[in-house]
Amino acid sequence: MSTGTLFNHEQPLQPWFWAVLVNRLQIGYFLLILPKILVYPYMLWVILMVGLVSSLNLHLIGKCLAIHDGFMKGVWLRVWMVPAIGILLLKMTLIVRGYAGVVHQFLFPSIGISAFIVLMLVAALYLAKHGMTTVLHFCVIAFLASVWATILYGFLAMPPEAHYSYLYPLIPFQWPSNGFESLLSVWSAFAGPEYLIVLGPWSGGKRLTKYLLAGHVFSILEYTYLFFVSLVFLGSPYLKTVEFPVFNLLRYVQLPFFERLEMIVIPAYMTPLILIISLLLLYLYGALRILLNRNRKPAHTRGLFMVSLAVAGYLLMVDRWLWTTEIHRRMWEQAQMYVVGATFALAPALFLGYYAMQSRRRRNEKTG
Amino acid sequence: MKKLGKGLLIVSMVISLTGCSWGVKSNIIEEISPTILKYIDREPDGQLKVSTLIPPLRKEKKRVITEKARLEKEARNEISQKYYRELKSGQLRMLFLSKRLARTDILPILNTWMLDPEISHRLYLAVVEGDFVSFLHHQLQVQELIDFNLYQMFSHYEQQGEINVTNLHRFMEAYFSPYADSMVPLFTLKDNELTYKGTALFREGKMVGEITSLDDILFQMLSHKNWFQKTLPLPEQGIILGSLYTESKVTAPPSGDVKIQVGLKGKVDEYQGKRNLNQSKEVKQLTRELESVLEQKITRIMHQLQQWRVDPLRVGERTLGPLSQPYSEKSWKAAWPDKRIDVKVRLQLESLGLLELTK
């Protein structure tokens, strides 16, 4: 099956790349808002607990990656692509519009949000047009460009700025009013690796589960650490009122030779998002090709460009009409939380179930 | 053709990212005036009076600009319009509040500063008694760099102690905390001299009390677990203690008294009392006497805090345990004024300044 250069998979990805990939896919937009949703000290346990439970899901994803024959065929597959495109677009909306909003709020209040939407898409398109293999390799750059920022938070985790008494009490005395929302938000914060299930052809036939888990453990540590810092630095009641605590904290860090670190860190955090966006663009293009039954023809950069153009139009429309205020933002975040949580929970299981069904049918055909 | 497209793409990205595009507010340094100090007062008619020093960056004569307005940001804009360069607040480092303003609710004013992404949360806060504007006018005749010098004073004492330096973040953190209250350094103006007076205490964003002179030294000892105090003058006893290492331990069991244990270790810097410090018995007596004096003083400070119903020493936090929270925010605020406080001071004089005065 020739798929042109975009989806070329002759060069498999090295195993430890997958760890980095899982980690950066998880640390997406939710990192920015998670501490504000969790608020209470005992939510530290929730992060660890949900992290543990979701590692089971990563086992399933590892199994999905072991599949690399193109078993998916038929009308049903095309039908499936319709909700898939919707989900991809939703995720794209939150990441692009959400982050463009952050940049607008913190860095360039005088430039319109639409300019950043276009810029982020241009960057993602530039990356995506080099093909899937390059995009997947980009995860290392995305990791290196953004992970150093976590070190800066160390300044805030020590007294006198930090008050460790905010960690008490470590157990809840009453079920918090937003308990379900917190559980769900942590669950969807660990979402992201479910996009890897169809990347079997790039796995090179190796068993990858332990690498996926390594990346996952790193994400758990990162979430725990950033929540811990926001908690001891701001305290629960204050944390509740702060938008984007992760960046607001940074505004307090002052190096002897450099201030306003958010000017550097906000663009740096954009690199993993660019990785996700270009991955989503490629997926969208792929899904459209399946939907329109054109996946036997070679993939073109021109097609990818047309898809990006349509996405840009869609996002600009969202920016103009559907996401204009902070209240809208919360609604999008909520919607995203439910949808992403559901896909993370169901996608790997469904994929494996579908595969098992197909292979049984194939075996039956052979024997019968 | 492909290369040209790539080049155009990069150029357009650079242009839009560096801010050189249409409709962007520019920050050309020759055209703006970044202020580093602001003073806010409240007029009797309820209007805010905002003053600032400009220009802090260029070699021009500095001057004070004052503007009255109903809202703080409104005043900022009006000041900007009064001056030929645009004022920017990105470099703002100090905010002085008049005592009159501090007595009313300052949260709505601080809120605008919190929301402004240009302003760092490290902005120093201070309360001033007296006419700060005429102080600035006077200082401009004497020393042009008054704003820089004030900033250096704050950043010096932030690390050194001696002055209870606080900033916007710390104020808000304590304001939101269920078991803490905000405090801000208090300065007073006497004959155009800005003097550190003590600590102003806030409850729910309103100044309710102040701790001054000697009490302020003890207060700072109490607010740090481990502390080094250069000098502690006790003029009534004719003694100055120096190089004091202090260790204060506050325990607040869920039921029962609040216990404050203070350990002091230091030397006698100056003594003009009547005791002969060459005799160990008299030294012991003096130590006991000083201990009880300090205990009384600390107890008085604590009672004052209870009277004002503030808890800047975060005693309430001590009631929390990893698995227990005996007081909610409300119940602690109700219980604190009536808590009994038990103060114990242990003083160790390492060196007595054994200087034989009698021949």
Side-chain angles (χ1 to χ4, degrees), chain A residues 105 108 110-111 119 122 161 163 165-166 168-171 173 233-234 237-238 241 251-252 254 259-260, chain B residues 9 17 23-25 93 114 116-117 119 122 167 169-170 172-173 176-178 314 317 321-323 325:
Chain A
Q105 185 187 336
F108 300 104
S110 55
I111 302 179
L119 277 177
V122 166
E161 304 302 351
H163 294 278
S165 62
Y166 283 126
Y168 290 162
L170 277 169
I171 46 160
F173 291 106
F233 182 66
L234 296 169
Y238 190 9
T241 70
R251 289 175 55 196
Y252 195 76
Q254 228 171 48
E259 292 168 16
R260 293 205 73 178
Chain B
L9 189 79
L17 279 179
V24 175
K25 297 282 177 197
R93 301 304 171 105
M114 292 294 297
D116 197 332
I119 290 170
R122 282 187 184 260
N167 56 33
H169 163 73
R170 287 186 199 151
M172 295 308 270
E173 185 267 330
F176 276 108
S177 168
R314 296 171 177 260
E317 280 179 1
L323 302 176
Q325 186 187 17

Side-chain angles (χ1 to χ4, degrees), chain B residues 128-163:
Chain B
V128 195
E129 262 179 356
D131 191 355
F132 193 68
V133 177
S134 77
F135 162 76
L136 286 180
H137 277 299
H138 176 77
Q139 287 296 314
L140 286 185
Q141 318 290 327
V142 188
Q143 47 169 345
E144 280 251 289
L145 284 175
I146 175 67
D147 40 2
F148 286 107
N149 296 345
L150 282 173
Y151 173 68
Q152 270 177 349
M153 175 187 79
F154 276 114
S155 72
H156 173 75
Y157 285 117
E158 188 178 24
Q159 277 136 31
Q160 297 289 312
E162 318 260 325
I163 287 182

Side-chain angles (χ1 to χ4, degrees), chain A residues 46-86:
Chain A
V46 173
I47 298 183
L48 295 178
M49 211 175 64
V50 175
L52 216 64
V53 173
S54 53
S55 64
L56 294 178
N57 217 11
L58 282 167
H59 269 286
L60 289 185
I61 294 170
K63 276 194 186 140
C64 297
L65 275 174
I67 301 166
H68 37 357
D69 47 343
F71 71 91
M72 291 254 182
K73 280 178 200 96
V75 180
W76 278 112
L77 182 66
R78 289 171 62 189
V79 174
W80 270 113
M81 285 307 122
V82 178
I85 288 172

Side-chain angles (χ1 to χ4, degrees), chain B residues 90-300:
Chain B
Q91 282 297 319
L92 205 83
R93 301 304 171 105
M94 289 168 289
L95 175 61
F96 290 87
L97 304 163
S98 77
K99 200 170 164 185
R100 195 168 14 182
L101 177 71
R103 290 264 179 210
T104 63
D105 195 2
I106 61 168
L107 246 301
I109 293 165
L110 292 188
N111 194 28
T112 58
W113 300 77
M114 292 294 297
L115 291 176
D116 197 332
E118 279 184 5
I119 290 170
S120 160
H121 289 186
R122 282 187 184 260
L123 177 78
Y124 293 125
L125 299 179
V127 175
V128 195
E129 262 179 356
D131 191 355
F132 193 68
V133 177
S134 77
F135 162 76
L136 286 180
H137 277 299
H138 176 77
Q139 287 296 314
L140 286 185
Q141 318 290 327
V142 188
Q143 47 169 345
E144 280 251 289
L145 284 175
I146 175 67
D147 40 2
F148 286 107
N149 296 345
L150 282 173
Y151 173 68
Q152 270 177 349
M153 175 187 79
F154 276 114
S155 72
H156 173 75
Y157 285 117
E158 188 178 24
Q159 277 136 31
Q160 297 289 312
E162 318 260 325
I163 287 182
N164 240 334
V165 176
T166 187
N167 56 33
L168 197 54
H169 163 73
R170 287 186 199 151
F171 187 95
M172 295 308 270
E173 185 267 330
Y175 169 79
F176 276 108
S177 168
Y179 309 105
D181 284 297
S182 322
M183 46 190 174
V184 171
L186 175 67
F187 292 86
T188 187
L189 284 160
K190 269 185 222 141
D191 308 327
N192 278 326
E193 294 290 345
L194 190 71
T195 324
Y196 177 64
K197 193 180 173 197
T199 307
L201 301 174
F202 284 73
R203 187 180 70 227
E204 309 285 319
K206 280 182 196 162
M207 180 177 162
V208 289
E210 55 193 69
I211 290 181
T212 52
S213 56
L214 173 61
D215 285 355
D216 189 54
I217 296 176
L218 294 174
F219 180 71
Q220 290 194 47
M221 271 181 198
L222 291 173
S223 48
H224 297 89
K225 203 165 170 252
N226 294 297
W227 188 243
F228 175 74
Q229 182 67 36
K230 225 162 48 195
T231 54
L232 173 63
L234 294 164
E236 284 153 39
Q237 279 67 41
I239 191 165
I240 290 186
L241 301 175
S243 311
L244 276 174
Y245 285 97
T246 74
E247 204 185 326
S248 49
K249 199 177 156 200
V250 182
T251 46
S255 55
D257 305 348
V258 174
K259 281 202 180 71
I260 298 179
Q261 285 165 305
V262 185
L264 302 162
K265 206 191 258 182
K267 58 181 182 132
V268 177
D269 264 4
E270 190 176 337
Y271 185 62
Q272 295 191 14
K274 297 207 173 62
R275 287 204 171 85
N276 181 1
L277 293 191
N278 288 321
Q279 286 180 1
S280 66
K281 203 176 147 197
E282 296 219 27
V283 172
K284 229 174 228 167
Q285 277 174 356
L286 176 73
T287 314
R288 295 286 156 275
E289 189 196 322
L290 291 177
E291 279 176 355
S292 81
V293 166
L294 289 172
E295 274 168 17
Q296 278 167 20
K297 281 184 189 295
I298 291 174
T299 313
R300 217 192 48 236

Side-chain angles (χ1 to χ4, degrees), chain A residues 15 23 26 29 37 46 50 53 66 83 152 186 256 258 277 339 352 364:
Chain A
N23 172 252
Q26 287 178 329
Y29 181 80
I37 298 172
V46 173
V50 175
V53 173
L152 296 172
V186 179
F258 195 73
I277 301 165
V339 172
L352 283 178
N364 286 349

